[in-house]
Amino acid sequence: MRERTYAMPAVVLGLNFAWEWTYAVHDLVFDPSVQGGINLVWGIADAVIVYTFFRYGRAEFPSFVTPRMFAGLSVLLFGMSFAVQWLFLAKFGAEDGVAYSAFLQNLLMSALFIAVAKWLGTLAPTILFGALQHDGFLLGLGIMCSVLDLVYV
């Protein structure tokens, strides 16, 4: 907050916030697990970033974006982010939806902002779910994430 920025692309923030809360609530209500608790903790951390987005984010946009326009577009962004997560959940179920939406978001993050820590954080589930559990879809997305991350590095 000292920097007065939310420090990440707004679309990534919206999708990540919606992912954490969607799967935290789903897991805690329908399938209580440690992962649901972990997602809740991350969701709370994301809520702090969302606060900084609404508090300082307007300054990151061109001057023609009025405060009212910023608020409306922000509500639209977060609303659509939750809708995307709920569509994944409805189409693929909790087990596949959580992974497919997470890996597609990681691919987006790899294209928008890239760091070594993010690459390593994506590499672990790529190996676990893609390679060891033989999921070609997740392996392919994980490899594309790695390519974009390594090109940057």
Side-chain angles (χ1 to χ4, degrees):
M1 282 193 233
R2 187 174 70 190
E3 300 292 325
R4 295 183 181 217
T5 182
Y6 52 96
M8 63 191 306
V11 172
V12 171
L13 175 59
L15 288 169
N16 197 57
F17 182 70
W19 189 95
E20 300 292 358
W21 282 99
T22 296
Y23 291 103
V25 170
H26 182 276
D27 289 354
L28 293 173
V29 170
F30 297 108
D31 187 22
S33 65
V34 172
Q35 186 62 51
I38 292 169
N39 291 345
L40 179 61
V41 170
W42 281 110
I44 292 167
D46 285 345
V48 173
I49 301 171
V50 169
Y51 168 78
T52 62
F53 173 79
F54 279 101
R55 175 91 165 101
Y56 303 113
R58 166 59 196 85
E60 304 280 333
F61 288 83
S63 59
F64 71 83
V65 177
T66 65
R68 185 179 181 127
M69 185 186 298
F70 174 75
L73 290 172
S74 298
V75 168
L76 180 64
L77 169 69
F78 284 95
M80 291 179 80
S81 295
F82 274 94
V84 165
Q85 298 307 331
W86 299 340
L87 288 169
F88 267 96
L89 190 58
K91 176 68 177 176
F92 299 108
E95 188 174 330
D96 288 337
V98 68
Y100 293 170
S101 62
F103 271 81
L104 285 168
Q105 282 176 225
N106 263 303
L107 184 59
L108 176 64
M109 285 188 272
S110 293
L112 295 176
F113 70 97
I114 304 161
V116 173
K118 189 233 159 276
W119 171 62
L120 293 173
T122 304
L123 185 60
T126 298
I127 293 168
L128 175 63
F129 298 115
L132 298 179
Q133 293 184 5
H134 307 290
D135 188 321
F137 181 73
L138 296 180
L139 181 61
L141 290 173
I143 290 170
M144 286 188 280
C145 289
S146 289
V147 167
L148 291 174
D149 291 343
L150 292 171
V151 164
Y152 179 79
V153 171

